[in-house]
Amino acid sequence: MDFNFAEKLAAVRQERGLTQKQLADRLGVTAQAVSKWETASSLPDLEMLRRIVQTLECSADFLLEHGVSGDSKVNMMLMERTAEIERSIARDVLVIEVGVDLVPMLAEGNADNYQVIHNLRVRLAREWGISVPIIRMMDKINLEPDEYSILLHGKRVVNWKLQYPLRFCFQNEAKTIPRERLVKDPVYGMEGAWSDTEIEGSHSVSAMELMVGQLDKVIVENYDKIINRQTVSFLVDIVRKRFPAVVSGVVPDKVSLSRLQRVIGGLVAQGCPVNRLDLIIEFLEDYREEDAGWQIERLKELLK
């Protein structure tokens, strides 16, 4: 079998930010078929190869390394380098990478796990008043099979291991989990054990819930690095719909998006929810000349 093709297909797919299931859906095949191509167990036919090339926006010559003219090699190289530069510049803000054993956890057909991500967004909006950018989830062949990472602007900020599809059962006051089974969870540092069944008297969470709990912490603790003016504009539009008089003629004329960005990021970084953005806008309009540090401290008192 063609192992060069298998490796290059996996590399290009991951560079495009697609899981095996996502690529399979776009091609109209099963995830198992993509897996066989990437493990060199089989090869796609010519028609499927054409669809792969179109979907991944790469060169068939690059994937197959067949006889390539000098011009084709140059064009292929320029295309790949240009794509690499674009991906480096326009990095996703938040990325979850997982090893092969955790890929089923992120499968698009796993509705319960994707509901966990939706619940996170709703909770952050309700409790903190913040919006979260798209969270890209992808498999990564250079991770350990049970390992996952959370990347913020391309920088790895979390790296841990999960035992999917087991659940993590937290130790309770009755100490029902034997000492030899105890490990610390990666989010809260609390003791518990991985189990395929509920342990009587303990509170348990799924592997996905545990990972999303860590993502929750990353978002809140680093929101000043996550928020941008596009996000601020979205939040302002929500306020405009409910309180048009608060925003009209004020944002961005008197209170700029960049100023709102700094204040919102600063407040969340200090553990202060910003779900009264109308009040924040009114305050910043009234105290336009004041020191930013004083404004944040005063707003923390007003938003309690």
Side-chain angles (χ1 to χ4, degrees):
M1 290 298 176
D2 193 334
F3 288 95
N4 285 332
F5 172 80
E7 292 177 357
K8 288 189 174 184
L9 176 61
V12 175
R13 173 182 58 76
Q14 291 179 4
E15 286 176 355
R16 300 300 187 262
L18 299 173
T19 66
Q20 290 181 341
K21 176 68 165 56
Q22 288 171 328
L23 176 57
D25 288 345
R26 296 188 183 189
L27 296 172
V29 299
T30 65
Q32 288 77 10
V34 176
S35 177
K36 287 183 178 180
W37 299 336
E38 294 188 358
T39 56
S41 300
S42 67
L43 283 171
D45 59 29
L46 289 178
E47 174 58 25
M48 184 55 65
L49 178 61
R50 183 185 66 79
R51 292 165 62 183
I52 291 171
V53 166
Q54 290 178 339
T55 301
L56 295 180
E57 299 179 346
C58 67
S59 156
D61 290 335
F62 172 74
L63 290 176
L64 296 174
E65 284 191 335
H66 287 169
V68 188
S69 68
D71 289 342
S72 294
K73 286 182 178 179
V74 171
N75 292 335
M76 177 184 68
M77 187 180 298
L78 288 174
M79 181 180 69
E80 290 299 321
R81 287 180 175 177
T82 299
E84 182 180 2
I85 291 171
E86 289 176 352
R87 290 191 297 273
S88 298
I89 293 174
R91 283 179 174 173
D92 291 294
V93 177
L94 288 166
V95 176
I96 297 176
E97 297 178 341
V98 302
V100 64
D101 285 356
L102 303 181
V103 170
M105 185 172 69
L106 304 184
E108 291 185 346
N110 199 331
D112 289 342
N113 284 342
Y114 274 80
Q115 184 64 37
V116 173
I117 293 288
H118 174 70
N119 292 344
L120 168 66
R121 291 178 175 279
V122 172
R123 184 170 66 253
L124 290 172
R126 181 180 63 249
E127 297 178 0
W128 290 90
I130 61 179
S131 174
V132 180
I134 293 174
I135 301 165
R136 185 179 296 279
M137 296 179 284
M138 57 192 293
D139 51 330
K140 198 73 172 176
I141 56 177
N142 62 350
L143 291 177
E144 294 294 324
D146 59 349
E147 188 179 17
Y148 75 93
S149 296
I150 298 176
L151 281 67
L152 176 61
H153 292 296
K155 182 179 179 180
R156 186 169 284 106
V157 294
V158 168
N159 188 252
W160 216 276
K161 293 187 176 183
L162 296 172
Q163 294 187 32
Y164 180 80
L166 304 184
R167 298 184 66 82
F168 190 86
C169 302
F170 292 95
Q171 180 70 290
N172 56 21
E173 294 181 1
K175 310 294 183 185
T176 56
I177 303 175
R179 171 60 54 182
E180 62 271 15
R181 291 186 58 189
L182 290 177
V183 295
K184 288 187 177 180
D185 82 88
V187 183
Y188 310 104
M190 298 173 61
E191 290 187 327
W194 291 100
S195 175
D196 57 356
T197 59
E198 296 280 352
I199 297 178
E200 185 178 356
S202 70
H203 169 68
S204 70
V205 295
S206 68
M208 184 72 172
E209 288 172 322
L210 203 56
M211 184 175 71
V212 169
Q214 197 158 36
L215 179 62
D216 188 328
K217 289 183 63 178
V218 168
I219 291 171
V220 173
E221 292 174 0
N222 297 277
Y223 198 66
D224 56 333
K225 303 179 184 69
I226 292 173
I227 190 173
N228 58 29
R229 294 179 193 179
Q230 186 64 43
T231 307
V232 174
S233 179
F234 172 75
L235 294 173
V236 169
D237 284 343
I238 294 175
V239 176
R240 181 181 286 110
K241 291 176 183 178
R242 295 189 61 192
F243 308 109
V246 172
V247 176
S248 180
V250 177
V251 181
D253 303 325
K254 299 177 181 178
V255 179
S256 68
L257 293 178
S258 60
R259 187 177 171 206
L260 270 173
Q261 176 184 337
R262 290 193 298 272
V263 169
I264 293 171
L267 286 168
V268 176
Q270 295 188 38
C272 180
V274 292
N275 41 20
R276 284 296 311 279
L277 187 54
D278 57 317
L279 187 151
I280 293 173
I281 292 172
E282 290 177 337
F283 178 88
L284 294 179
E285 181 189 11
D286 291 339
Y287 297 94
R288 278 179 279 174
E289 306 301 325
E290 299 295 337
D291 174 73
W294 176 85
Q295 290 175 348
I296 289 176
E297 290 303 316
R298 180 65 180 132
L299 279 167
K300 283 167 61 178
E301 296 176 7
L302 294 175
L303 294 169
K304 285 181 180 178

